[in-house]
């Protein structure tokens, strides 16, 4: 009887040993060197790190695009993300290209947009708010002039990359002859400045700009009119009644002294350096490309709730159709990092957007003409409504006609009034 019980007990123990291992979540594996057993996760419990595959669409010249390709190569070496860069041809309308792809459901994951388009794309439902993919801080870290155009409906819709403000390039000696050390900064200054120039007739042209460029024209309008303040939901060319009247009077007086740089090309820069032209309104990048010992660059100080010069900028945005928002956000964070901001400025000449770089301007070799208010300014008013692209398209033709003398100041004012209805 005892022998029979022993066999029953032995059978029970054997069954218990057989059923022990499969129910455990961890398996003990003995190392080949005879060391202690180590717990490992079974294959079915392991998770593979996902590799995102994103497409980035930009529109830039070849030099800038090569720099972006290099920055992207460095990124892909250290991150499990595949990135296809697409450089849209400069002659193709970038917004039209993007809209076409988005309507077809073939949108790139990341888009580089001019800031004037960010609110329009956001309002049309084409973008994701940055809160959904960007882990860094934007508020307080980037220039207000870059952030404000990207804010709409309580969200931020793009991560700023760079800025390119409009500036005045002037011939130092010619301005001294007119009794000025630098360009006029107020509407009253402009009145005196133009009057002095017309009395002296020291050279045929006072000011050059591209008549077809609405940003340059708006900068001129704001300069001679004392700046632009927002008038409710009105477009940027709707100024306070007194300011608009004064600005148009000033432009009428100036018109005979203006040079259309779009027609003269490089000759305009030669005229400026030779003293046949006193000043030129252009972008900072163009001004830096045409540096000359006789000329200097000036940008007006930025004031609260008053726009006096147009500040172009570009931002990265993520398509609402993307399947990889985290990978897109990771790529954008790297491309706009403090290190890459400095590299980008060195190559492209477009100014950085991170305030930290401006606080150490000398160390980062930023030009001395940059006003301190560019970094310190908060609440800077810039035109940034979703309808801004349409406003610019409507503003350009009559402005070109007026500056070139095809229509009178009265006709120009009437056409602006029609556009604002």
């Amino acid at each position: 009887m005892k022998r029979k019980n022993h066999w029953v007990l032995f059978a029970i123990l054997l069954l218990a040993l057989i059923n022990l291992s499969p129910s455990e979540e961890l398996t003990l594996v003995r190392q080949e060197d005879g060391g202690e057993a180590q717990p490992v996760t079974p294959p079915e419990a392991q998770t593979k790190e996902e590799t995102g595959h994103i497409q980035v669409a930009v529109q830039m010249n070849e030099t800038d695009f090569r720099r972006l390709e290099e920055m992207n190569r460095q990124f892909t070496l250290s991150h499990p993300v595949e990135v296809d860069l697409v450089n849209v041809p400069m002659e193709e309308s970038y917004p039209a290209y993007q809209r076409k792809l988005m309507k077809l459901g073939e949108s790139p994951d990341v888009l580089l947009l001019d800031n004037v388009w960010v609110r329009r794309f956001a309002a049309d439902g084409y973008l994701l708010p940055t809160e959904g993919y960007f882990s860094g801080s934007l508020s307080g870290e980037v220039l207000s002039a870059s952030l404000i155009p990207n804010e709409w409906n309580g969200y931020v819709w793009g991560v700023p990359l760079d800025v390119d403000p409009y500036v005045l390039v002037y011939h130092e000696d010619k301005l001294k002859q007119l009794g000025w050390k630098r360009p006029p900064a107020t509407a009253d200054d402009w009145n005196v400045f133009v009057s002095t120039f017309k009395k002296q007739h020291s050279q045929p042209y006072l000011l050059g700009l591209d008549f077809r460029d609405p940003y340059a024209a708006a900068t001129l309008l704001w300069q001679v009119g004392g700046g632009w303040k927002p008038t409710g939901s009105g477009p940027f060319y709707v100024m306070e009644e007194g300011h608009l009247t004064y600005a148009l009077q000033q432009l009428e007086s100036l018109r005979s002294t203006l040079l259309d740089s779009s027609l003269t090309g490089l000759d305009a820069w030669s005229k400026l350096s030779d003293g046949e032209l006193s000043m030129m309104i252009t972008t900072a990048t163009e001004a830096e490309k045409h540096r000359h010992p006789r000329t200097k660059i000036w940008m007006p100080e930025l004031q609260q709730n008053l726009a006096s010069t147009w500040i172009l900028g570009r931002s990265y945005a993520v398509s609402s159709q993307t399947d990889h928002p985290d990978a897109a956000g990771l790529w954008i964070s790297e491309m706009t990092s403090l290190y890459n901001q400095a590299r980008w400025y060195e190559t492209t000449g477009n100014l950085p957007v991170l305030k930290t770089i401006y606080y150490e301007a000398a160390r980062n070799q930023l030009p001395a003409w940059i006003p301190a208010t560019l970094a310190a300014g908060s609440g800077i008013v810039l035109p940034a409504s979703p309808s801004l692209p349409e406003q610019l398209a409507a503003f350009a033709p009559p402005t070109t006609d007026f500056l070139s003398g095809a229509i009178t100041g009265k006709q120009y004012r009437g056409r602006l009034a029609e556009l604002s209805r």
Side-chain angles (χ1 to χ4, degrees):
M1 187 67 179
K2 289 183 179 180
R3 183 182 298 272
K4 184 177 180 180
N5 289 340
H6 288 161
W7 280 109
V8 171
L9 181 60
F10 177 77
I12 293 173
L13 291 173
L14 182 61
L15 288 173
L17 288 171
I18 291 173
N19 291 314
L20 177 62
S21 296
S23 64
E24 295 294 322
E25 291 184 0
L26 295 178
T27 303
L28 295 180
V29 179
R30 184 167 298 281
Q31 299 176 350
E32 292 182 358
D33 61 2
E36 294 183 0
Q38 299 294 327
V40 298
T41 306
E44 63 270 19
Q46 293 178 353
T47 57
K48 181 181 178 182
E49 185 176 15
E50 181 182 356
T51 300
H53 189 165
I54 62 173
Q55 185 184 75
V56 178
V58 302
Q59 189 175 51
M60 55 183 63
N61 62 48
E62 284 303 315
T63 301
D64 295 357
F65 188 66
R66 284 196 295 271
R67 166 57 83 183
L68 182 64
E69 287 181 315
E70 174 58 28
M71 290 162 56
N72 182 61
R73 275 193 291 270
Q74 294 298 320
F75 170 82
T76 54
L77 288 175
S78 55
H79 297 86
V81 179
E82 296 179 50
V83 184
D84 295 331
L85 295 180
V86 178
N87 194 14
V88 180
M90 297 296 287
E91 61 272 12
E92 186 170 352
S93 171
Y94 180 59
Y97 166 82
Q98 293 297 347
R99 283 170 175 264
K100 177 178 68 177
L101 290 181
M102 286 180 163
K103 287 180 180 179
L104 293 174
E106 301 173 357
S107 169
D109 300 274
V110 178
L111 307 87
L112 180 62
L113 293 174
D114 288 343
N115 286 348
V116 296
W117 283 93
V118 172
R119 287 193 182 188
R120 162 55 68 201
F121 274 56
D124 288 344
Y126 291 152
L127 304 180
L128 286 180
T130 58
E131 289 85 346
Y133 60 85
F134 186 73
S135 59
S137 173
L138 293 175
S139 181
E141 298 296 327
V142 303
L143 303 179
S144 296
S146 298
L147 190 60
I148 290 173
N150 293 351
E151 296 175 331
W152 178 75
N153 204 25
Y155 295 93
V156 179
W157 300 89
V159 180
L161 169 67
D162 55 25
V163 291
D164 193 12
Y166 274 77
V167 297
L168 278 162
V169 188
Y170 63 96
H171 191 288
E172 192 174 14
D173 293 338
K174 287 300 175 182
L175 255 65
K176 286 181 179 178
Q177 290 176 12
L178 295 171
W180 296 76
K181 293 182 178 180
R182 57 164 181 75
T186 67
D188 290 339
D189 285 348
W190 273 97
N191 187 34
V192 175
F193 184 74
V194 174
S195 298
T196 304
F197 174 81
K198 288 196 164 187
K199 289 176 183 177
Q200 289 196 9
H201 291 290
S202 56
Q203 65 265 358
Y205 299 108
L206 174 62
L207 180 67
L209 73 154
D210 183 346
F211 288 0
R212 300 171 303 176
D213 182 353
Y215 308 114
T219 297
L220 176 59
L221 185 67
W222 296 344
Q223 282 287 307
V224 300
W228 173 79
K229 295 180 180 180
T231 54
S233 59
F236 67 90
Y237 45 79
V238 175
M239 303 170 66
E240 295 178 0
E241 184 60 28
H243 284 254
L244 181 59
T245 300
Y246 191 76
L248 293 181
Q249 289 175 348
Q250 290 284 70
L251 286 179
E252 283 270 36
S253 180
L254 262 174
R255 193 162 55 167
S256 62
T257 71
L258 297 178
L259 175 69
D260 187 356
S261 60
S262 68
L263 300 178
T264 56
L266 292 175
D267 186 51
W269 291 103
S270 297
K271 290 182 182 298
L272 181 64
S273 59
D274 292 341
E276 298 178 44
L277 179 66
S278 295
M279 298 187 301
M280 185 122 71
I281 293 178
T282 187
T283 60
T285 51
E286 281 299 305
E288 290 289 354
K289 287 178 187 175
H290 297 90
R291 276 282 193 179
H292 191 277
R294 297 191 188 97
T295 62
K296 287 190 173 183
I297 300 173
W298 179 77
M299 179 180 172
E301 292 283 350
L302 303 184
Q303 302 178 48
Q304 187 83 3
N305 298 323
L306 187 69
S308 57
T309 188
W310 203 291
I311 301 177
L312 290 178
R314 297 181 293 184
S315 297
Y316 283 116
V318 173
S319 167
S320 56
Q321 299 176 12
T322 184
D323 293 326
H324 302 285
D326 292 337
L330 183 63
W331 186 87
I332 291 174
S333 296
E334 186 71 17
M335 295 303 108
T336 58
S337 66
L338 184 64
Y339 173 68
N340 277 328
Q341 282 267 298
R343 296 174 69 198
W344 188 246
Y345 167 63
E346 290 171 2
T347 301
T348 68
N350 291 77
L351 295 174
V353 297
L354 294 179
K355 292 181 178 180
T356 303
I357 299 177
Y358 290 86
Y359 296 150
E360 299 180 353
R363 177 181 174 184
N364 290 296
Q365 299 182 332
L366 295 183
W369 54 260
I370 298 176
T373 48
L374 181 60
S378 60
I380 298 171
V381 173
L382 290 172
S385 74
S387 62
L388 184 56
E390 290 80 7
Q391 292 176 19
L392 287 162
F395 171 73
T399 303
T400 301
D401 289 344
F402 172 64
L403 294 177
S404 61
I407 60 176
T408 65
K410 183 177 180 180
Q411 291 172 318
Y412 179 53
R413 180 168 186 164
R415 289 175 67 176
L416 290 183
E418 290 178 3
L419 294 177
S420 60
R421 289 173 187 164

